[in-house]
């Protein structure tokens, strides 16, 4: 590659980025006809949201992660102990390349015939192989204390956000008459309370994305990824288009149900069954009211139907935002179906188990039995000599 071609390449890349940037911020995408970005310069006491302010949500996310660390460590753990939750040590299986490879590449739940084949290959008993897989599977599952800490953090945030959101919204006319969200649009001034409500909420969902790899994984993991990305996209887009009044209502409707669920989880981990059942029923009622009734018939009505009274030519953002809101509503229906299944099982079987989470399996053999079994086995070579270890980690 010729050196003199480098400047030309960098110039062409800069031109492409500049072109994409101008397309992305094209006025016809974000705002009504005859409006430009120059109209959103602060003036005469009016303050408008600015896209570059969204960069602050990343540092806010890390601040929330720091707050989460200290709250989980110094509040959640003592609370868990007070509720009777113990930090159970787990027995770590002895490293075994054969079984580890099978666990990762083939199956975490081998059949009986596969276990017998692995036992022969490792020159050990079937019981030891079964126990190795039980202990190995348990290592993939967060402890009850860890689950409690995560639920405590989410409960704390959602409860705080709900209370603060109500204090920010209770005296606003659009909280009672949703038509007011469009009065004066797009030249609606940004309130300080709206700024902090947005920044902290977006920062929270960034923090959830950053910790997806270490938080408790459930079967609806991908649904949570889609939800977090859609939430960040919606809030960021509504910020740029100054749909802040509607955005605060969407945030409030979501958070007011979620803290009941996290409270139910906390008492479930503490095995306070009656309290857990009561809280989950309250959550279910709140969820169906806010997500299945209010969200589609109040929020979506305001975003899909009411804008046509203020503009005969919908902007592109109208379709983008409503598309993401409909994705959220699809997730609401999916989670509503899961909640209905749990409630149905509770009514007929008196069981409120959450199928999305895996439960820890109990060992069938004690460490003493395991040691005696190992001593009675034939000698084996390499890493298969000591299949399991009774040491704790």
């Amino acid at each position: 590659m010729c050196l003199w071609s480098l400047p030309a390449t960098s110039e062409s890349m800069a031109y492409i980025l500049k072109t994409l940037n101008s397309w992305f911020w094209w006025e016809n995408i974000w705002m009504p006809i005859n409006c430009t970005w120059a109209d959103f310069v602060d003036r005469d006491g009016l303050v408008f949201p600015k896209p570059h302010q969204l960069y602050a949500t990343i540092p806010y996310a890390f601040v929330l992660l720091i707050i989460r660390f200290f709250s989980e460590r110094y509040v959640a753990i003592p609370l868990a102990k007070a509720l009777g939750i113990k930090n159970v040590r787990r027995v770590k299986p002895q490293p075994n390349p054969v079984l580890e490879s099978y666990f990762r590449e083939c199956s975490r739940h081998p059949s009986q015939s596969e276990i017998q084949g692995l036992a022969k290959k490792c020159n050990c008993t079937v019981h030891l192989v079964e126990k190795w897989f039980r202990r190995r599977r348990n290592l993939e599952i967060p402890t009850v204390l860890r689950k409690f800490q995560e639920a405590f953090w989410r409960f704390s945030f959602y409860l705080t956000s709900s209370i603060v959101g109500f204090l920010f919204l209770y005296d606003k006319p659009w909280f009672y008459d949703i038509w007011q969200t469009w009065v004066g649009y797009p030249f609606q001034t940004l309130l300080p309370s709206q700024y902090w409500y947005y920044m902290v909420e977006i920062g929270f969902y960034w923090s959830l994305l950053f910790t997806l790899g270490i938080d408790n994984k459930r079967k609806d993991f991908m649904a949570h990824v889609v939800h977090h990305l859609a939430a960040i996209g919606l809030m960021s887009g509504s910020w740029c288009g100054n749909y802040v009044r509607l955005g605060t209502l969407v945030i409030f409707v979501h958070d007011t149900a979620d803290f009941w669920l996290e409270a139910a989880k906390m008492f479930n981990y503490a095995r306070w069954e009656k309290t857990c059942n009561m809280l989950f029923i309250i959550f279910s009622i709140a969820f169906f009211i806010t997500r299945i009734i209010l969200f589609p018939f109040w929020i979506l009505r305001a975003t899909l139907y009411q804008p046509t009274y203020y503009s005969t030519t919908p902007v592109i953002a109208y379709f983008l935002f409503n598309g993401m809101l409909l994705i959220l509503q699809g997730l609401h229906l999916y989670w509503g179906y899961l909640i209905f299944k749990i409630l149905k099982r509770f009514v007929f079987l008196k069981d409120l188990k959450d199928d999305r989470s895996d439960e820890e399996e109990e060992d069938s053999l004690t460490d003493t039995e395991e040691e005696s079994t190992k001593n009675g086995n034939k000698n084996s070579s390499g890493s298969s000599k000591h299949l399991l270890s009774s040491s704790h980690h």
Side-chain angles (χ1 to χ4, degrees):
M1 183 177 180
C2 298
L3 293 177
W4 56 79
S5 66
L6 289 175
T9 303
S10 60
E11 288 176 5
S12 60
M13 283 299 298
Y15 175 77
I16 292 172
L17 292 175
K18 184 178 180 181
T19 303
L20 291 175
N21 183 67
S22 63
W23 286 353
F24 184 80
W25 296 112
W26 184 34
E27 283 91 348
N28 289 355
I29 293 178
W30 297 97
M31 56 193 66
I33 298 174
N34 300 325
C35 288
T36 66
W37 290 113
D39 297 324
F40 288 87
V41 176
D42 296 348
R43 65 183 186 279
D44 303 328
L46 295 176
V47 178
F48 299 104
K50 300 169 184 62
H52 68 82
Q53 292 172 319
L54 294 173
Y55 291 126
T57 60
I58 301 298
Y60 291 152
F62 286 103
V63 171
L64 287 171
L65 287 175
I66 295 172
I67 296 173
R68 174 179 178 175
F69 172 79
F70 284 102
S71 65
E72 287 184 352
R73 187 178 183 89
Y74 296 107
V75 182
I77 292 179
L79 179 60
K81 291 180 179 179
L83 293 174
I85 299 174
K86 298 178 180 179
N87 188 14
V88 179
R89 289 182 175 182
R90 286 196 175 145
V91 180
K92 187 176 181 181
Q94 184 72 16
N96 185 298
V98 175
L99 298 183
E100 183 68 27
S101 176
Y102 192 91
F103 181 87
R104 291 180 177 275
E105 299 174 9
C106 299
S107 174
R108 297 184 177 188
H109 298 270
S111 64
Q112 194 62 32
S113 60
E114 290 169 336
I115 289 176
Q116 291 173 355
L118 289 169
K120 291 180 180 178
K121 193 172 183 179
C122 296
N123 197 20
C124 61
T125 66
V126 169
H127 289 293
L128 288 178
V129 175
E130 289 175 339
K131 189 169 185 179
W132 190 95
F133 273 94
R134 273 194 296 272
R135 290 183 169 178
R136 185 63 182 84
R137 285 192 295 266
N138 284 342
L139 291 181
E140 301 290 311
I141 304 171
T143 63
V144 174
L145 179 60
R146 185 71 197 96
K147 292 178 182 179
F148 182 90
Q149 289 176 278
E150 181 184 332
F152 172 82
W153 165 244
R154 293 175 185 247
F155 166 78
S156 302
F157 181 85
Y158 290 136
L159 178 61
T160 304
S161 177
S162 299
I163 295 172
V164 171
F166 178 76
L167 294 176
F168 286 165
L169 289 169
Y170 84 97
D171 60 344
K172 306 298 186 296
W174 53 87
F175 187 60
Y176 306 95
D177 180 11
I178 203 165
W179 283 91
Q180 294 292 323
T181 57
W182 295 106
V183 174
Y185 180 81
F187 304 112
Q188 298 170 342
T189 189
L190 177 69
L191 303 175
S193 60
Q194 292 172 329
Y195 172 84
W196 287 110
Y197 200 24
Y198 255 75
M199 293 296 109
V200 174
E201 196 78 19
I202 297 175
F204 175 71
Y205 280 103
W206 276 123
S207 72
L208 292 184
L209 277 179
F210 295 157
T211 57
L212 273 175
I214 60 176
D215 285 340
N216 182 26
K217 292 185 179 179
R218 298 183 176 87
K219 295 176 183 177
D220 58 350
F221 173 81
M222 286 308 301
H224 279 279
V225 174
V226 173
H227 176 270
H228 298 343
L229 290 174
I232 292 172
L234 262 174
M235 287 186 285
S236 300
S238 64
W239 179 266
C240 296
N242 200 17
Y243 301 102
V244 174
R245 291 183 180 180
L246 267 172
T248 54
L249 294 178
V250 173
I251 294 171
F252 182 75
V253 163
H254 280 74
D255 289 350
T256 48
D258 288 341
F259 71 85
W260 293 106
L261 175 62
E262 301 304 329
K265 289 180 185 178
M266 291 164 60
F267 283 100
N268 178 52
Y269 299 143
R271 299 189 181 277
W272 289 37
E273 293 185 6
K274 292 183 179 179
T275 306
C276 169
N277 294 346
M278 181 187 66
L279 289 170
F280 187 82
I281 291 172
I282 295 174
F283 159 73
S284 302
I285 295 171
F287 182 91
F288 282 104
I289 291 175
T290 57
R291 309 287 180 87
I292 308 300
I293 298 176
L294 285 180
F295 188 80
F297 297 106
W298 188 48
I299 300 292
L300 287 182
R301 182 174 178 271
T303 61
L304 289 167
Y305 172 68
Q306 292 178 1
T308 59
Y309 280 81
Y310 293 92
S311 175
T312 56
T313 308
V315 295
I316 298 175
Y318 168 86
F319 301 99
L320 295 176
F321 294 149
N322 281 297
M324 286 188 284
L325 287 171
L326 289 172
I327 290 174
L328 276 183
Q329 183 57 27
L331 291 172
H332 297 163
L333 294 174
Y334 168 70
W335 282 318
Y337 167 72
L338 295 180
I339 293 169
F340 178 77
K341 283 178 62 180
I342 296 173
L343 288 175
K344 182 180 177 181
R345 189 168 58 242
F346 173 69
V347 171
F348 292 102
L349 302 176
K350 302 299 180 184
D351 177 25
L352 267 180
K353 177 185 174 184
D354 186 356
D355 289 334
R356 299 175 304 153
S357 300
D358 295 323
E359 291 189 348
E360 185 173 353
E361 302 172 76
E362 295 182 358
D363 287 338
S364 60
L365 296 175
T366 64
D367 292 332
T368 305
E369 290 172 323
E370 177 191 328
E371 188 65 31
S372 64
T373 305
K374 287 198 303 181
N375 293 337
N377 286 343
K378 297 178 181 179
N379 292 334
S380 57
S381 59
S383 60
S384 302
K385 186 172 182 180
H386 299 288
L387 183 61
L388 295 171
S389 172
S390 60
S391 61
H392 296 265
H393 76 120

